[in-house]
Amino acid sequence: MAVAMASANLATTLSGLSKAFETARSSVAPVAGFSSSGLRAARSCPLHGQRLSSSRTVIRQASAATTLEDGSQSETDIVPTPKVIIDQDSDPDATVLEITFGDRLGALLDTMNALKNLGLNVVKANVYLDSSGKHNKFAITKADTGRKVEEPELLEAIRLTVINNLIEYHPESSTQLAMGVAFGAVPPTQQVDVDIATHINVVDDGPDRSLLLVETADRPGLLVDLVKIITEINIAVESGEFDTEGLLAKAKFHVSYKGKAIIKPLQQVLANSLRYFLRRPTTEESSF
C-alpha cells in the first residue's frame, strides 16, 4: 500500500516538477566552456568496487545566514556541493542513504520524519567526518516488510524527498541543485550541457553480470526513467548506486541478460538507447 501511494504521489509530483523544471531551465544560461575532459577520463576507468567520482565544484555567492534543521545558523560565502547517494550494494538488508552538504547539516530529524511518511523505517544512522565535510548515513527498510527498498519509484521518491528537505532547510543549496531550477529560492546560475555531460559506459563485471555507468545532467524522475529504459530491452537491474551530486547524476548499475553478462552487441544497444533518451533533441518542438 505504501509503495502504491508513493508511486501515485510521485507520478503526480514528477509531472508538475518536470513541467516547471523545463520551463525554468530555459531561462538559465548554460556553462560556457564546460569541460568534458575530466568526464571523459572518468568514463574510461571502470568503477567496480569504488565510490562514484566526486565533483568538487563550488559556487561563490554573497554571504548569507543559513538555517540548519537543528535551528542553528552558519555564515559562509562558499556553497558546498550537495550530495545525495542511494546505495543498494553495501548492505544486503537495507538501502543506504548518504547525505552530504559540507559541514552544514544538523541531525536531519525532519528528513527522517519525511522518510517515515513514505512508509520507511530508519533502522540505523551514523555520522562521519572527512575532508569533504559531514556525512549523514541512514540504513532504510520498508516498514511493512522490514526489507530494503527495491522499487525504483520509491527510491526516486526518497531522493526527491531528501532534496526537497535540503532546499527547504538550506535554501542556498538550490544554487547547486538541478531541482533548484524548478522550486529553489535561488536557481542555479549555471546549467550543465546535457550533450557534453552525458557519458555511458558498459564494462564486464564477471561472467554473470555487467556494470553500467551513467553520468548525465540531473532532473526529476531520472532514476525511474533509467531503470525503465534498461528493463524495456529485457536487461535486468540487479543492484547499484545512484548519486545526486550538485547538477549531475551518476549511476552505477549491475545488470545482466538472462542471468549472464551482457554481450558486446547488446551493450551497444543499451548505450545507444540511454544516450538517445538522455541527450536533448536538437530541434525544439516549438519550431514545428
Side-chain angles (χ1 to χ4, degrees):
M1 177 66 72
V3 175
M5 292 179 62
S7 299
N9 292 337
L10 179 63
T12 302
T13 302
L14 287 181
S15 178
L17 276 180
S18 296
K19 292 179 180 178
F21 182 79
E22 292 302 324
T23 299
R25 190 176 66 172
S26 63
S27 64
V28 180
V31 177
F34 189 92
S35 173
S36 63
S37 58
L39 299 176
R40 191 178 300 112
R43 180 178 56 169
S44 64
C45 178
L47 299 179
H48 178 53
Q50 302 179 27
R51 175 69 67 208
L52 296 181
S53 59
S54 292
S55 168
R56 304 188 66 83
T57 303
V58 296
I59 298 176
R60 294 184 178 271
Q61 63 176 27
S63 177
T66 302
T67 303
L68 305 183
E69 276 197 17
D70 61 5
S72 62
Q73 296 285 323
S74 173
E75 288 195 5
T76 179
D77 63 344
I78 299 178
V79 179
T81 300
K83 301 175 186 176
V84 179
I85 297 172
I86 296 178
D87 179 7
Q88 295 286 75
D89 284 337
S90 61
D91 190 325
D93 302 315
T95 296
V96 176
L97 171 66
E98 182 176 332
I99 310 169
T100 306
F101 187 44
D103 60 357
R104 303 187 180 200
L105 297 180
L108 298 182
L109 297 179
D110 290 273
T111 296
M112 286 192 283
N113 287 332
L115 293 174
K116 290 180 181 179
N117 291 336
L118 292 176
L120 304 168
N121 284 334
V122 178
V123 296
K124 184 169 59 177
N126 61 71
V127 176
Y128 71 92
L129 300 173
D130 63 14
S131 59
S132 65
K134 179 181 178 182
H135 301 253
N136 295 67
K137 295 186 73 171
F138 306 96
I140 300 170
T141 60
K142 295 170 65 176
D144 57 348
T145 64
R147 297 180 178 179
K148 70 191 303 179
V149 181
E150 300 286 354
E151 298 83 0
E153 294 83 4
L154 189 50
L155 290 171
E156 180 70 348
I158 293 170
R159 187 174 81 97
L160 294 183
T161 296
V162 170
I163 292 174
N164 181 67
N165 271 35
L166 188 60
I167 291 177
E168 179 180 354
Y169 290 97
H170 301 271
E172 76 281 10
S173 68
S174 67
T175 65
Q176 295 255 46
L177 286 165
M179 309 304 173
V181 173
F183 54 86
V186 182
T189 57
Q190 299 176 325
Q191 179 185 337
V192 175
D193 188 303
V194 179
D195 295 323
I196 296 175
T198 298
H199 297 285
I200 300 163
N201 195 18
V202 185
V203 296
D204 293 332
D205 190 25
D208 298 327
R209 66 183 188 179
S210 302
L211 186 64
L212 169 64
L213 307 172
V214 180
E215 179 172 328
T216 191
D218 189 28
R219 60 172 179 73
L222 181 60
L223 191 158
V224 175
D225 289 337
L226 288 175
V227 174
K228 180 180 178 181
I229 293 167
I230 296 168
T231 55
E232 279 183 347
I233 54 179
N234 297 319
I235 293 177
V237 179
E238 299 178 5
S239 63
E241 177 182 312
F242 193 92
D243 297 3
T244 306
E245 189 172 313
L247 301 175
L248 295 175
K250 302 176 182 180
K252 177 179 71 174
F253 295 123
H254 298 288
V255 295
S256 63
Y257 179 71
K258 295 184 178 180
K260 297 295 182 182
I262 302 175
I263 61 175
K264 296 297 181 182
L266 188 54
Q267 288 182 11
Q268 192 62 49
V269 171
L270 174 59
N272 289 343
S273 298
L274 289 169
R275 190 173 292 110
Y276 175 81
F277 172 79
L278 292 171
R279 288 182 171 174
R280 62 171 177 255
T282 56
T283 304
E284 299 292 339
E285 292 182 2
S286 58
S287 65
F288 289 97

